[in-house]
Amino acid sequence: MVPKRIPRWFVAGVALLLSMHALADDFAGALAVYDKHDYSTAVRMFEPLAERGDMRAALFLGAAYYTGLGVHFDRQKSVGWMLQAQSSASSADYDFVYGHWQALADAGDPDAQVALGTAYNTGFGVPADPKKAF
């Protein structure tokens, strides 16, 4: 027998699960574009994700605005995204983003090397280390 009225909590839970799945797909798409070095498109794809709470996207945006990848350098936007990430990102978010950059940097990607170097220079998300930054 099907209940005549579906509880609101059930509908809300299903909607949340579906939106989380869509966010994951959107992030994977943005990351694939980023990996192809189409940074301006990746930034446009990451922004709505970060605004909806994906802290991995916020970390990518903070780095993009700090390094000027795909956007004009904007310290204020960079700091804004980084502060948002700092207040909400989990260690898994940092591990994912910095691990991704490390893999690209190890493969010789100069943009990933700049992103990682910037992280080590500023000490954001990793311990500050001028030697690693260099």
Side-chain angles (χ1 to χ4, degrees), residues 94-115:
Y94 283 104
D95 290 347
F96 177 86
V97 172
Y98 290 109
H100 190 77
W101 284 335
Q102 186 67 59
L104 292 173
D106 290 345
D109 185 316
D111 296 329
Q113 292 168 350
V114 168

Side-chain angles (χ1 to χ4, degrees), residues 26-112:
D26 291 347
F27 181 82
L31 190 60
V33 169
Y34 178 91
D35 288 348
K36 291 179 183 172
H37 297 246
D38 185 356
Y39 300 118
S40 59
T41 301
V43 165
R44 285 193 306 274
M45 295 172 76
F46 281 135
E47 280 185 339
L49 297 172
E51 288 168 357
R52 290 187 304 221
D54 189 319
M55 291 301 99
R56 298 167 305 170
L59 289 166
F60 275 102
L61 286 172
Y65 282 105
Y66 191 85
T67 60
L69 287 176
V71 292
H72 291 289
F73 168 82
D74 188 325
R75 184 177 305 257
Q76 186 175 357
K77 284 186 179 182
S78 174
V79 169
W81 287 118
M82 291 297 196
L83 287 175
Q84 181 177 339
Q86 187 176 23
S87 68
S88 302
S90 68
S91 61
D93 293 331
Y94 283 104
D95 290 347
F96 177 86
V97 172
Y98 290 109
H100 190 77
W101 284 335
Q102 186 67 59
L104 292 173
D106 290 345
D109 185 316
D111 296 329

Side-chain angles (χ1 to χ4, degrees), residues 1-26:
M1 175 178 218
V2 177
K4 292 182 181 181
R5 189 167 176 210
I6 299 173
R8 287 184 185 163
W9 61 265
F10 180 78
V11 173
V14 169
L16 178 63
L17 287 174
L18 291 174
S19 67
M20 290 175 70
H21 181 67
L23 278 176
D25 289 346
D26 291 347

